[in-house]
């Protein structure tokens, strides 16, 4: 039996035939992504909003959400929950998948996600050239920051996330990422 690995073109075709489904291409297999939980999407949106509000006026680069796919050098097509690419690396937004590795990628754990798979995804991006990977876990209100060749840094409420090696002077309070509670 001959196994045929699918390509980014196959994914584009499937995505156009099923526009309501989010998909990734991982090692030649199509992975259908389930919708995230409400809280995890709200946290991802807040992270992306704060990042975009800081980077856009400075014209530093592009911030995207979970529907933006990256056509990666290993032939996978993946979609982080939030990503950032410096402007000088991506002058114009492509109409389809961006054939580039993001400088920053963020994964936010939803109720159906495996912590191990999300951490593995971050490591895969780092191996391909992503400079900083971030794992946000709303369940235990922690943020883990990953860089190649360094141990992860774990942040909690009371801490401030900074990325001086990537975005000097940008910061976000960890407590500002969580979903608000209204009385």
């Amino acid at each position: 039996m001959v196994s045929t690995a699918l390509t980014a073109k196959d994914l584009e075709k499937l995505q156009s035939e099923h526009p309501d489904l989010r998909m990734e291409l991982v090692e030649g297999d199509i992975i259908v992504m389930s919708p995230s939980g409400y809280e995890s999407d709200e946290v991802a949106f807040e992270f992306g909003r704060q990042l975009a509000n800081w980077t856009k006026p400075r014209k530093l680069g592009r911030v995207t959400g979970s529907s933006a796919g990256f056509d990666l050098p290993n032939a996978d097509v993946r979609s982080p929950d939030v990503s950032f690419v410096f402007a000088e690396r991506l002058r114009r937004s492509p109409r389809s998948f961006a054939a580039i590795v993001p400088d920053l990628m963020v994964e936010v754990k939803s109720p159906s996600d495996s912590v191990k798979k999300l951490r593995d995804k971050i490591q895969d991006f780092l191996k391909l050239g992503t400079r900083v990977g971030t794992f946000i876990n709303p369940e235990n209100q922690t943020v883990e920051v990953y860089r190649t060749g360094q141990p992860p840094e774990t942040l909690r409420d009371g801490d401030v996330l900074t990325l001086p090696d990537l975005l000097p002077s940008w910061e976000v309070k960890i407590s500002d990422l969580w979903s608000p509670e209204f009385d």
Side-chain angles (χ1 to χ4, degrees):
M1 173 187 252
V2 176
S3 172
T4 306
L6 299 174
T7 66
K9 291 283 185 202
D10 297 321
L11 177 60
E12 282 186 63
K13 183 176 185 289
L14 279 169
Q15 195 71 73
S16 69
E17 292 170 358
H18 305 282
D20 295 334
L21 296 178
R22 285 187 44 235
M23 301 177 206
E24 288 186 333
L25 177 66
V26 182
E27 296 179 1
D29 294 325
I30 300 291
I31 308 295
V32 177
M33 309 295 289
S34 66
S36 64
Y38 192 93
E39 179 186 39
S40 57
D41 192 62
E42 189 174 26
V43 169
F45 184 83
E46 181 61 23
F47 187 99
R49 184 186 69 77
Q50 291 210 26
L51 183 60
N53 285 349
W54 190 84
T55 58
K56 189 171 183 176
R58 292 166 177 79
K59 298 181 180 176
L60 292 177
R62 302 178 185 286
V63 177
T64 57
S66 62
S67 295
F70 289 88
D71 189 353
L72 301 170
N74 66 354
D76 287 353
V77 177
R78 306 294 304 263
S79 301
D81 291 325
V82 179
S83 60
F84 170 78
V85 178
F86 278 109
E88 63 266 13
R89 295 186 59 233
L90 192 60
R91 293 280 182 203
R92 294 183 185 266
S93 293
R95 299 218 13 104
S96 186
F97 306 125
I100 195 167
V101 177
D103 295 291
L104 167 68
M105 61 84 66
V106 178
E107 286 297 317
V108 180
K109 186 185 182 311
S110 66
S112 62
D113 284 333
S114 156
V115 170
K116 180 184 179 335
K117 285 185 180 180
L118 292 177
R119 287 178 176 148
D120 288 348
K121 183 176 181 178
I122 290 168
Q123 292 303 319
D124 290 344
F125 270 85
L126 291 173
K127 287 174 191 166
L128 294 170
T130 292
R131 293 173 55 188
V132 178
T134 304
F135 171 60
I136 302 174
N137 190 339
E139 292 173 9
N140 62 13
Q141 295 192 327
T142 59
V143 175
E144 298 171 10
V145 182
Y146 293 84
R147 293 171 177 85
T148 303
Q150 296 181 26
E153 174 186 9
T154 301
L155 304 171
R156 293 175 176 77
D157 283 352
D159 293 330
V160 176
L161 171 62
T162 61
L163 303 172
D165 50 332
L166 192 67
L167 300 167
S169 79
W170 179 74
E171 60 182 43
V172 61
K173 292 179 185 175
I174 299 305
S175 59
D176 287 348
L177 295 174
W178 315 128
S179 297
E181 292 184 22
F182 301 113
D183 295 326

